[in-house]
Amino acid sequence: MTVNHPVASRATYYEKIARSGMAPLWESLHTLVPKTPQPKALPAIWRYSQVRDLVMQAGAVISAEEAVRRVLVLENPGLPGKSSMTPNLYAGLQLILPGEIAPSHRHTQSALRFIVEGKGAWTAVNGERTTMHPGDFIITPSWTWHDHGNPSIEDGGEPVVWLDGLDIPLVAQMDASFAENYPEATQPVARPEGHSFARFGHNMAPVRYCASDSTSPIFSYPYERTREALETLRRGGELDEWDGVKLRYVNPTTGSWPMPTIATFMQYLPRGFEGRTYRSTDATVYCVVEGTGCVKIDKDEFTFAPHDVFVVPSWVPVQLSASTESVLFSYSDRPVLDALNLLREDRS
Ligand code: GTQ
């Protein structure tokens, strides 16, 4: 039997089912299950030359102690009000001035710090402090106490700015956020600096160590070492047509990503490099360490310079070119996509 439903009765029917907390799937199926990703996040760049003064001015507006974390959140223009850079990841620029402390706390969100400018500040994780230098990649694992500090001017302290990358939106989506403050401003120092790097940073591990943690036991990956690796590989002359020389950071005890939710990378592009177009379903945040160049993200084209931060949403074609020898740090939600069998790459 065929029944014809006039449009008016459809609308009436929709209103009726809405009152019972229901909706017609057939009206939204194509948007709920699109043929390809339809990211709301937009390609965007934060040029350090334009935001640096504003970051520094935050130092006069509020102390690190009062702010707890003195951070300017980089919000994707396509995700307004969400404090998100991508659907899963957050980005912010944190400033710590000489003599300041950002008090100790812990949360279920995983965090990375990528040092942008200044040196000598420290972050403490699990009773160990590590000193920051530009280009260092530092991890704060989920649910570990962490505080940040900076020596006084007399002790050589200088303003330090780093890029914070956290899985805040992902954890919020999962309704899995827990956080608490440490009773003191700083946690006690229990081990000398370099302890975890000595145990795990030399292709060795304590003899009876069993990897049981999804976060790397190395919490600082110094730029000096990363840069040296890229330089050696560059001299070897083998370049990927898409990536130049690109390495991923690893948890040395598992070979997997350094954090369960965030992948991190560092890549080298020689002067004059013009990369081929690439896309993938992990959304990536880049931070320029060295050099100048241009990134084409779909229809947008951005020139980049040191310390700039730009974002490439899921499945949007991206192409990197370098006018001078360039080094780019990046982080993405690849481990999540990977674990859920949702990672797709297109290097055609
Ligand atoms: O340093 O612990 O940018 O908890 C956002 C939330 C930094 C931090 C952020 C945080 C932190």
Side-chain angles (χ1 to χ4, degrees), residues 69 71 90-92 94 105 107 111 113 146 148 162 164 166 168:
R69 296 296 182 261
V71 179
Y90 157 105
Q94 181 156 178
H105 70 185
H107 38 69
R113 330 284 170 189
H146 54 284
H148 318 299
W162 66 78
D164 277 322
L166 288 90
I168 290 175

Side-chain angles (χ1 to χ4, degrees), residues 49-97:
S49 62
Q50 286 167 12
V51 301
R52 183 183 186 273
D53 282 353
L54 298 171
V55 172
M56 291 300 170
Q57 283 164 25
V61 170
I62 195 166
S63 70
E65 186 113 33
E66 191 193 344
V68 182
R69 296 296 182 261
R70 191 205 283 118
V71 179
L72 296 189
V73 178
L74 308 183
E75 189 173 73
N76 189 297
L79 305 168
K82 292 194 152 49
S83 296
S84 300
M85 185 58 118
T86 77
N88 288 331
L89 297 176
Y90 157 105
L93 288 170
Q94 181 156 178
L95 168 70
I96 189 152
L97 296 174

Side-chain angles (χ1 to χ4, degrees), residues 97-344:
L97 296 174
E100 286 192 319
I101 279 170
S104 196
H105 70 185
R106 64 177 178 178
H107 38 69
T108 47
Q109 290 82 357
S110 296
L112 70 85
R113 330 284 170 189
F114 185 70
I115 316 309
V116 170
E117 179 188 356
K119 59 175 184 331
W122 50 263
T123 189
V125 170
N126 283 329
E128 186 179 332
R129 287 184 179 179
T130 192
T131 305
M132 301 174 168
H133 315 86
D136 292 353
F137 156 53
I138 293 172
I139 296 175
T140 308
S142 171
W143 208 240
T144 53
W145 298 113
H146 54 284
D147 32 283
H148 318 299
N150 199 339
S152 64
I153 294 185
E154 300 78 58
D155 292 330
E158 52 186 65
V160 174
V161 177
W162 66 78
L163 178 69
D164 277 322
L166 288 90
D167 53 9
I168 290 175
L170 175 69
V171 173
Q173 174 65 29
M174 307 251 181
D175 283 333
S177 178
F178 294 88
E180 57 190 31
N181 292 325
Y182 195 73
E184 317 286 331
T186 56
Q187 62 184 298
V189 174
R191 279 178 299 281
E193 174 152 9
H195 186 87
S196 46
F197 201 82
R199 296 208 299 164
F200 299 102
H202 300 277
N203 298 319
M204 302 184 91
V207 60
R208 269 172 287 279
Y209 177 81
C210 258
S212 61
D213 207 326
S214 56
T215 303
S216 171
I218 294 183
F219 72 107
S220 176
Y221 294 74
Y223 186 55
E224 208 183 342
R225 301 279 295 254
T226 312
R227 189 68 184 85
E228 189 185 321
L230 292 177
E231 175 60 19
T232 304
L233 295 170
R234 171 195 81 79
R235 273 193 257 112
E238 227 172 90
L239 282 184
D240 180 85
E241 289 175 48
W242 289 264
D243 300 329
V245 177
K246 187 168 184 176
L247 296 174
R248 66 179 178 92
Y249 289 87
V250 297
N251 173 343
T253 66
T254 61
S256 187
W257 313 104
M259 285 176 279
T261 49
I262 310 179
T264 48
F265 311 87
M266 192 76 95
Q267 77 194 99
Y268 169 90
L269 311 175
R271 185 166 66 92
F273 181 79
E274 286 204 23
R276 295 180 61 176
T277 304
Y278 166 82
R279 60 182 173 170
S280 66
T281 52
D282 56 335
T284 306
V285 183
Y286 287 82
C287 182
V288 181
V289 193
E290 299 177 28
T292 55
C294 177
V295 57
K296 266 190 224 154
I297 313 172
D298 203 14
K299 289 169 195 66
D300 290 297
E301 206 170 319
F302 304 118
T303 57
F304 65 72
H307 313 324
D308 291 354
V309 176
F310 58 87
V311 57
V312 181
S314 165
W315 213 237
V316 173
V318 58
Q319 189 198 358
L320 291 165
S321 359
S323 8
T324 64
E325 193 175 54
S326 297
V327 180
L328 308 179
F329 172 80
S330 55
Y331 67 96
S332 85
D333 51 357
R334 186 171 297 201
V336 181
L337 283 289
D338 214 5
L340 303 180
N341 223 358
L342 295 170
L343 183 66
R344 279 201 197 193

